Amino acid sequence: MNLAHLGTPIRPMVRVHGGFANRLYRLDTDLGSFAVKELSLGLVDRPVSDVFRFERAAFAAGIPMPEPISAGSRTLVHRWVEGEKVPEEPVPAAYAFEIGEILARLHALSVSWPGVVVSEPAPRDWASLAARATATGQPWAGELVSSVTTFLALAEFVDACERPGPAVLTHRDIQPWNLLSRAGRPVVLDWELSGLLDLSGELGSTALSLAKGPGFDDIRPAIFRAVLDGYVAGGGTLPPFGPSWFAYLVGGWLGFTRWNILRCLAGIEAGTGPELALSHESVRNGLRGLPDLFARLPALGTLLWC
């Protein structure tokens, strides 16, 4: 992507390491500082121009986010925003409430979007992936072999789960690692997965991620409900509570784990996306976290909704 419109660089562009999906660079010029994101192949399934258009509408509506500057075929540029990283632990109730309000405002935007919600079948090739991992000596091969049955059951759960609707145009990935805190208030980052999604999936994924720590031993129901209270206060209407609230979270995590398994099986540092070591870490997180989540699904409704 030609970055000349961003001004004259005052120092070389620097890569910001640590992203688990895309590659991020900081560019400082005489016109300011910019975040230049190179999107990974296979993760964004829609034209970047559509994402950018949605971002511009959200920014114009006052959603707290970095200003979208420009977009290329696989590149997004935003004005650089400073803030504190949000740790993967239960957020303060006021922060969760404001995230709910932000979602309600976002869902109320009138932005045309091509197509409808398309739910691809959850991946079922876990046995063959386990065999390839064993044959190539992957360090987590044994964990994958022992998890094949569970992963197939997770895929069945995702595919069989009914989505009550409505479908909303939304961020689809509001997680602690896609948020900043400025003076205790949210800034929403990383919009490249934006698109249509069943409302229950968006609310469940967002509220649970903000209400828990790295695993599932520390889940704060009050924080989960604070997101929903903020959503209602912002003018939103809650859908019926049920398994669909967690189907998107499970399906997305399954797909992301598989994507990283394939990167690890290739065994080379790809030209885009995370370093190979981070892909291995993401695979381990999925192989340990998904079975834990699956075992807790029956109890989540009682814990979070009652």
Side-chain angles (χ1 to χ4, degrees):
M1 182 180 182
N2 187 341
L3 302 178
H5 61 292
L6 301 180
T8 302
I10 59 177
R11 60 180 61 89
M13 188 163 66
V14 176
R15 183 172 175 190
V16 180
H17 290 273
F20 279 88
N22 303 296
R23 295 196 176 184
L24 179 66
Y25 302 84
R26 176 170 176 159
L27 176 62
D28 297 309
T29 78
D30 59 339
L31 298 181
S33 297
F34 302 91
V36 181
K37 179 174 288 187
E38 180 187 28
L39 304 181
S40 295
L41 295 173
L43 276 183
V44 179
D45 59 358
R46 60 197 56 83
V48 177
S49 58
D50 288 336
V51 173
F52 183 70
R53 181 166 49 84
F54 180 48
E55 283 189 293
R56 294 291 291 175
F59 183 79
I63 300 296
M65 59 184 290
E67 179 186 3
I69 301 298
S70 59
S73 60
R74 285 200 304 112
T75 309
L76 285 166
V77 178
H78 299 82
R79 196 165 297 280
W80 188 270
V81 172
E82 296 290 349
E84 298 177 5
K85 291 184 178 180
V86 175
E88 195 175 354
E89 61 186 36
V91 302
Y95 190 98
F97 187 92
E98 189 165 358
I99 289 292
E101 289 184 312
I102 289 169
L103 284 176
R105 292 165 57 197
L106 194 61
H107 298 168
L109 293 178
S110 179
V111 179
S112 62
W113 192 261
V116 296
V117 177
V118 177
S119 298
E120 296 290 336
R124 307 280 180 136
D125 57 346
W126 301 106
S128 63
L129 292 175
R132 291 174 60 188
T134 301
T136 55
Q138 301 298 326
W140 35 261
E143 290 181 85
L144 179 55
V145 170
S146 64
S147 298
V148 166
T149 300
T150 301
F151 274 49
L152 289 173
L154 283 163
E156 178 62 28
F157 164 76
V158 171
D159 289 344
C161 191
E162 294 186 10
R163 276 69 163 176
V168 292
L169 178 57
T170 190
H171 184 283
R172 302 207 324 172
D173 196 26
I174 295 184
Q175 308 285 329
W177 48 86
N178 290 336
L179 293 166
L180 292 176
S181 178
R182 298 186 70 182
R185 303 189 67 183
V187 178
V188 183
L189 310 175
D190 298 338
W191 292 67
E192 56 270 10
L193 295 184
S194 296
L196 294 170
L197 179 62
D198 184 85
L199 174 58
S200 62
E202 172 83 332
L203 291 176
S205 174
T206 301
L208 181 59
S209 72
L210 298 182
K212 71 178 190 65
F216 298 96
D217 291 328
D218 183 17
I219 299 177
R220 310 282 176 85
I223 303 304
F224 185 94
R225 289 192 287 268
V227 176
L228 308 188
D229 291 342
Y231 189 76
V232 172
T237 300
L238 299 179
F241 190 79
S244 65
W245 283 61
F246 308 111
Y248 173 69
L249 171 64
V250 172
W253 201 357
L254 278 174
F256 185 64
T257 300
R258 182 181 182 276
W259 181 74
N260 279 288
I261 286 174
L262 292 174
R263 292 175 68 87
C264 294
L265 289 175
I268 58 174
E269 291 287 354
T272 62
E275 294 88 350
L276 191 57
L278 281 177
S279 284
H280 279 289
E281 182 177 342
S282 292
V283 171
R284 292 189 185 94
N285 288 340
L287 292 178
R288 296 166 188 175
L290 278 163
D292 187 19
L293 173 59
F294 187 50
R296 296 173 188 258
L297 280 176
L300 279 180
T302 302
L303 175 68
L304 298 174
W305 197 249
C306 295

